[in-house]
Amino acid sequence: MSDEQQKSGKPNENSLRSKTFFQEKDLWGFIHRSFTKSMGYTEEDLTKPLIGICNTYSELNKCHSHFNELADYVKRGVWQAGGVPMEFPTISIGEPYIKPTSMLLRNLMAMDTEEMMKAHPIDGVVLMGGCDKTVPAQLMAAASANIPAIVITGGPMLNGRLGGRSLGACTDCYGFTLEHKAGNLTDEELATAENAICRSDGHCMVMGTASTMASIAEAIGMALPGNAAIPAPDSRRKHMAERTGKQIVELVRQNIRPRDIMTMEAIENAIRVTMASGGSTNAIIHLVAIAGRLGLKLPLETFDTISATTPFILNLRPSGEYQMEEYFEAGGVPALMKELEAHLHLDCLTVTGRTIGDNLGAASARTLNRDVIRTVEEPLDPQGGIAVLRGNLAPDGALIKQTAVSAHLKKHTGRAVVFENPADLAARIDDPDLDVDADSVLVLKNAGPKGAPAMPEIGQIPIPTKLLKQGVRDMVRISDARISGTSYGALIVHVAPEAAIGGPLALVQDGDEIELDIADRRLNLNVSEAELAERRKAWKAPAPFYDRGYGLLFQERVLQANQGCDFDFLLPPHMR
């Protein structure tokens, strides 16, 4: 189907994109039919809706290592519903392996997915994602390509188990390595923990970025109800895959497209679910990017307004006690959304073909464990998980996961201990002569979108070893980097503008007084404007990290954190 047809309205079945490939009687129609039949498809198959299955299986992506089997169940559903499934690959981004950071490749995956969707004769697509950057990349692509699409995620791992204790990746990854660094765990004990923490297929099982984005896909209406929390090894994940395969055929028949579903009201629903869940700060970058692809401006103030009016009700790590396995057993995202029903836009369309309100009327949308999913009347905290900070240190905003901050640090003033870049941090953080104490504020510069490069998840600045040995386990830490959704502590991230383009963070020096007040949403550098002006005259931009290829493209065209870190040229023309 042409772009003009997409814009003009809903086509009838005879104008399916696949039919324009297979029913033409010219040379290319002959080639399309001949080559497709050579793979075993029949003349009858070529009359049915053709469904692309974007299978991001990779042995370099642990979270997606089970996707080939899952794709078979999606195919089963497509066949049962009268469609013809065809798998295609795209880049697959696995958090544990990619250096310098998976964020470098999110936009590349979004471009890859969009172009594959637009270039091939598919009438609809099933987007198989899971690991942190894969779901946002696919939603960005779906927003831009705007052909019928549905998301199925791979599901979280089962809880890790060690000595009768539940473990969660990667919240406990930080904990174990911290205690090992402090001398409280032996090498052998650390190895035992490594073997116990990840004991099944799936993505991280705490409310990290993967679980957050799976929840967002469901809350925004692009995944079937209940999808997010089913553990990867659970047979009900396979059932969900089959249902997803059936439903994409129905979406094609009804011509329901991503832009019909992902409206501003749907995005606001996704934000509210994120805040009620104690979701990852990464969600803000990704939602801003998705909104941008839809031609919608999504300022940070929207997140803060929704957070301030959304009770935090999901008792999941790193901000609570439980993990995704218990969340699934308690009712998952449908149950949480049912608790939030009075705060949601209930008339938003979803991939079920029905509205959020209709979906929440189902018997399955109910809470089965009140210790995991609280009521809005008796929340864990009256406000949502993420707060937006502003001040002269972050004029375009900064983020903090307030539900994961130690209580004594929610209002804090301390002197800065500054690291100019990630290499400087690695070289000096554990120096026994470092002039630092528990009240200091650790500051990391040049770790943002252009500076690091590509804004890696290094905002959980390590506690200096000498303080660990004194019992210190949390400090105020500030950077223009990101953090994993599994992180915890007084971590201020996404400072914008970043240091590498001359933002105020670039001007901070050792000994400067920094003031944090989460309740007042304030982050200030207590240095006079005159002094800052003098420092700015002496400031020099760091040398660019790349001189060729995709990395150079990224550095030259990436937007700032508060703008979603998409490429400027991928936004609709009126958004540039």
Side-chain angles (χ1 to χ4, degrees):
M1 180 182 299
S2 68
D3 290 341
E4 290 72 23
Q5 286 174 303
Q6 287 192 36
K7 295 173 184 176
S8 64
K10 309 253 181 185
N12 60 41
E13 187 173 354
N14 290 327
S15 60
L16 290 173
R17 296 173 79 243
S18 61
K19 292 192 175 183
T20 65
F21 280 74
F22 294 124
Q23 292 188 350
E24 296 297 332
K25 301 303 181 184
D26 60 5
L27 170 65
W28 282 107
F30 177 93
I31 291 172
H32 293 151
R33 291 188 296 274
S34 177
F35 277 60
T36 306
K37 289 176 182 178
S38 77
M39 295 186 290
Y41 296 96
T42 67
E43 191 79 34
E44 182 183 0
D45 291 335
L46 302 187
T47 67
K48 299 175 181 178
L50 198 160
I51 304 301
I53 300 176
C54 181
N55 181 0
T56 52
Y57 163 82
S58 170
E59 290 182 342
L60 288 172
N61 187 347
K62 174 265 181 291
C63 306
H64 295 199
S65 62
H66 58 304
F67 275 23
N68 282 343
E69 181 185 22
L70 199 63
D72 287 340
Y73 289 89
V74 176
K75 287 181 180 179
R76 179 189 292 180
V78 173
W79 284 117
Q80 288 176 355
V84 176
M86 286 187 174
E87 282 186 57
F88 66 92
T90 66
I91 186 175
S92 184
I93 309 172
E95 291 292 312
Y97 304 121
I98 289 176
K99 306 299 182 193
T101 169
S102 61
M103 191 64 183
L104 180 68
L105 301 181
R106 184 202 65 177
N107 296 348
L108 182 61
M109 182 177 178
M111 294 168 69
D112 184 2
T113 307
E114 176 187 349
E115 297 306 326
M116 290 291 283
M117 290 169 68
K118 292 193 300 188
H120 289 92
I122 55 177
D123 302 305
V125 62
V126 177
L127 299 167
M128 297 179 64
C131 202
D132 294 17
K133 307 305 176 296
T134 61
V135 174
Q138 291 175 333
L139 289 175
M140 292 161 68
S144 295
N146 200 36
I147 69 170
I150 190 169
V151 171
I152 180 166
T153 54
M157 289 183 273
L158 297 174
N159 291 344
R161 298 292 296 171
L162 182 63
R165 170 187 165 196
S166 286
L167 304 179
C170 251
T171 297
D172 284 310
C173 303
Y174 296 112
F176 282 119
T177 53
L178 199 70
E179 296 305 324
H180 181 258
K181 181 179 174 181
N184 297 327
L185 284 180
T186 66
D187 291 349
E188 292 76 14
E189 289 170 328
L190 189 68
T192 298
E194 290 170 6
N195 294 332
I197 198 167
C198 298
R199 65 185 185 99
S200 77
D201 290 332
H203 61 68
C204 292
M205 66 291 255
V206 300
M207 188 49 70
T209 305
S211 296
T212 300
M213 291 310 305
S215 300
I216 282 173
E218 194 173 326
I220 209 170
M222 288 293 291
L224 290 175
N227 167 78
I230 304 170
D234 195 302
S235 61
R236 286 164 286 190
R237 174 63 55 188
K238 297 172 184 175
H239 302 166
M240 178 61 69
E242 182 179 294
R243 287 175 51 211
T244 299
K246 290 180 180 178
Q247 191 59 28
I248 186 59
V249 178
E250 185 62 27
L251 290 173
V252 168
R253 289 179 174 141
Q254 295 186 37
N255 195 32
I256 296 175
R257 299 169 180 252
R259 293 181 200 169
D260 299 323
I261 294 170
M262 292 193 288
T263 63
M264 180 57 81
E265 290 76 18
I267 290 171
E268 289 176 357
N269 284 344
I271 296 172
R272 200 168 293 280
V273 166
T274 300
M275 297 305 173
S277 304
S280 169
T281 51
N282 284 316
I284 293 185
I285 284 181
H286 299 321
L287 281 168
V288 172
I290 293 164
R293 295 296 188 94
L294 295 164
L296 303 172
K297 290 187 177 180
L298 186 57
L300 293 185
E301 283 73 18
T302 300
F303 292 91
D304 205 42
T305 298
I306 293 176
S307 181
T309 57
T310 304
F312 169 46
I313 61 172
L314 183 59
N315 192 12
L316 255 61
R317 302 178 73 198
S319 299
E321 300 176 47
Y322 298 102
Q323 301 186 151
M324 291 297 287
E325 195 171 338
E326 289 84 10
Y327 188 24
F328 170 61
E329 293 167 356
V333 173
L336 181 129
M337 292 182 73
K338 186 69 174 179
E339 301 298 332
L340 297 172
E341 191 168 20
H343 299 274
L344 298 174
H345 300 288
L346 299 178
D347 57 350
C348 289
L349 184 65
T350 75
V351 290
T352 65
R354 302 185 298 274
T355 66
I356 289 287
D358 293 335
N359 293 344
L360 294 182
S364 57
R366 61 191 181 96
T367 298
L368 301 176
N369 186 332
R370 275 283 169 230
D371 200 32
V372 177
I373 304 173
R374 305 292 179 87
T375 66
V376 295
E377 293 80 17
E378 296 182 344
L380 293 158
D381 194 280
Q383 292 191 357
I386 300 170
V388 178
L389 306 172
R390 290 194 185 270
N392 69 342
L393 190 52
D396 290 339
L399 305 180
I400 189 166
K401 186 185 277 191
Q402 59 181 342
T403 51
V405 175
S406 300
H408 70 285
L409 294 175
K410 292 188 174 184
K411 184 174 183 179
H412 182 79
T413 300
R415 62 181 183 86
V417 177
V418 178
F419 302 92
E420 291 297 323
N421 51 51
D424 183 33
L425 173 69
R428 295 194 299 118
I429 188 65
D430 292 323
D431 185 340
D433 295 327
L434 184 69
D435 185 13
V436 65
D437 60 36
D439 292 325
S440 298
V441 176
L442 303 181
V443 176
L444 173 61
K445 303 178 183 179
N446 296 307
K450 294 181 183 288
M455 206 179 180
E457 289 183 344
I458 55 175
Q460 187 156 2
I461 301 169
I463 305 293
T465 298
K466 68 179 183 181
L467 297 183
L468 283 175
K469 292 179 178 179
Q470 296 171 20
V472 176
R473 291 296 182 270
D474 197 6
M475 297 175 68
V476 175
R477 288 159 276 179
I478 301 174
S479 71
D480 45 13
R482 296 179 299 112
I483 52 173
S484 167
T486 64
S487 298
Y488 56 90
L491 311 174
I492 300 166
V493 290
H494 301 201
V495 172
E498 65 174 305
I501 64 170
L505 188 68
L507 308 179
V508 181
Q509 295 182 0
D510 284 333
D512 288 349
E513 186 179 85
I514 294 177
E515 180 186 5
L516 165 68
D517 191 326
I518 296 177
D520 284 349
R521 303 295 198 260
R522 188 169 69 249
L523 180 64
N524 280 329
L525 176 64
N526 293 334
V527 174
S528 71
E529 288 302 317
E531 172 63 19
L532 292 177
E534 287 300 312
R535 293 182 188 180
R536 186 170 298 282
K537 291 177 184 178
W539 177 79
K540 293 182 180 179
F545 191 85
Y546 295 104
D547 62 4
R548 61 171 299 281
Y550 175 74
L552 180 60
L553 172 67
F554 187 97
Q555 285 191 160
E556 289 182 344
R557 305 306 291 269
V558 71
L559 297 167
Q560 288 292 287
N562 61 303
Q563 299 169 303
C565 292
D566 203 357
F567 293 152
D568 53 8
F569 61 84
L570 292 176
L571 298 179
H574 75 276
M575 295 284 288
R576 298 173 195 165

